[in-house]
Amino acid sequence: MRRRVIKLGSTGVGLECYLTEDAPSCVHPAVIVLPGGAYVLRAAAESGIVAKRFRSLGYEAFVLRYSTYPGGTPYPGQAAELMEVICYLKDHSAELGVDRDRIYALGFSAGAHVAVTLAERASDKEIHALAGVAADADASELLPAGLVLCYPLLAVHPLKTPSELLSISNKALFGTETPTAEECDSVDLVRGVRAGMPRTFIWQSAQDAMCDPRDTLRFASRLLDCGTPCELHLYEEGAHGMSMADDESVEEGASAADAHVATWVMLADQWMRGVKDTPAADSAE
């Protein structure tokens, strides 16, 4: 394995690269890992060990150190950081051994929120400017071939009970610990689903107490209504933050291991290998 860290020019964030030994002599699909952490941190259990697992499966793997609160670019700047990564991988595909038509974004929790934000706002001129991309750039060239969403944060609900982490997360998203219902609606990605988004693979536990699985079901339903192919796995048992749901993940801080839930890695791998030449996106302003 060849590992290095790249600092992106426009947004200034870091990109950890986990490259196969034969790159660039052979081209491989690529996975951009976006760890969760409520926009406050980037969980270790959802970072390098995930990239290494997918590298072992034959992917060129990357971890995006997207901005977190405090100190980082405010939301939705993280979507611009992901956009810049996608452009970088396509521009340097020969050097990195990446198949530029098979670049996937794999996000956990808040990292999934980043990936979906980009999918829904790829034509947003504010995001283009932050990413150093031309205002009239073709949105289809700024998106991944597909999304892999792991227990995704898709909607933010007003807090009913005190929670220090969620209060800080709200501060990161809204600038206040107690956003109004209208402010929560502004980052509700279920409402933002539109035709032409990338094909999507989703997994979650029905017992997830942090991100409501009902939001995931609504999101998947909207994707299907818009004609976007979607594969959804809702496991009966399991907690939020399981990462790869194996012992190695738990050692890095994941919430639990479960052999049944751990099948998501194999399922996502099979799904990604079946996705190529994704239709062009038609993201709205």
Side-chain angles (χ1 to χ4, degrees):
M1 179 183 72
R2 297 179 298 127
R3 183 179 182 274
R4 59 182 168 129
V5 178
I6 297 169
K7 185 175 182 180
L8 302 177
S10 294
T11 59
V13 296
L15 181 68
E16 299 175 22
C17 307
Y18 297 81
L19 304 174
T20 58
E21 291 293 348
D22 61 355
S25 60
C26 297
V27 296
H28 300 275
V31 171
I32 305 167
V33 178
L34 297 107
Y39 283 103
V40 178
L41 52 85
R42 294 180 297 273
E46 298 162 355
S47 300
I49 62 168
V50 177
K52 291 176 184 177
R53 174 68 60 82
F54 279 90
R55 187 209 57 78
S56 73
L57 294 173
Y59 295 83
E60 305 303 342
F62 306 86
V63 178
L64 175 58
R65 298 175 178 174
Y66 63 85
S67 293
T68 55
Y69 176 86
T73 303
Y75 178 85
Q78 295 84 358
E81 294 163 356
L82 176 56
M83 179 181 286
E84 185 178 11
V85 169
I86 292 169
C87 293
Y88 181 89
L89 296 186
K90 289 188 175 184
D91 290 344
H92 296 81
S93 57
E95 169 193 344
L96 298 171
V98 166
D99 182 344
R100 67 190 317 274
D101 294 321
R102 300 179 68 195
I103 298 172
Y104 306 98
L106 191 162
F108 296 86
S109 193
H113 194 271
V114 173
V116 178
T117 297
L118 175 60
E120 295 183 353
R121 300 180 61 175
S123 292
D124 190 315
K125 301 302 183 288
E126 173 192 1
I127 292 176
H128 284 202
L130 290 171
V133 171
D136 60 351
D138 182 355
S140 66
E141 284 296 309
L142 307 175
L143 287 170
L147 306 178
V148 177
L149 308 179
C150 312
Y151 38 88
L153 171 65
L154 296 168
V156 177
H157 304 283
L159 293 178
K160 296 180 181 179
T161 56
S163 168
E164 182 177 2
L165 176 61
L166 293 180
S167 293
I168 300 174
S169 178
N170 284 341
K171 194 92 179 231
L173 283 168
F174 307 106
T176 175
E177 295 182 2
T178 54
T180 65
E182 290 74 19
E183 287 174 319
C184 290
D185 287 345
S186 71
V187 298
D188 186 333
L189 301 180
V190 178
R191 294 169 177 259
V193 173
R194 63 193 77 251
M197 288 174 56
R199 299 176 64 161
T200 303
F201 176 100
I202 313 172
W203 76 270
Q204 191 172 13
S205 161
Q207 297 177 335
D208 193 325
M210 293 289 290
C211 293
D212 193 336
R214 295 173 185 83
D215 292 333
T216 296
L217 295 175
R218 291 191 298 120
F219 180 78
S221 179
R222 288 290 303 275
L223 288 176
L224 296 178
D225 288 344
C226 290
T228 298
C230 174
E231 181 166 330
L232 170 64
H233 297 270
L234 185 65
Y235 293 94
E236 181 179 0
E237 298 181 354
H240 190 80
M242 295 181 74
S243 181
M244 294 181 295
D246 59 6
D247 292 338
E248 182 182 10
S249 301
V250 172
E251 289 176 1
E252 291 290 334
S255 59
D258 184 300
H260 180 51
V261 176
T263 60
W264 79 262
V265 175
M266 172 194 67
L267 295 169
D269 175 37
Q270 292 173 342
W271 178 84
M272 284 189 283
R273 293 187 184 284
V275 178
K276 193 169 183 179
D277 299 327
T278 304
D282 183 24
S283 300
E285 299 291 331

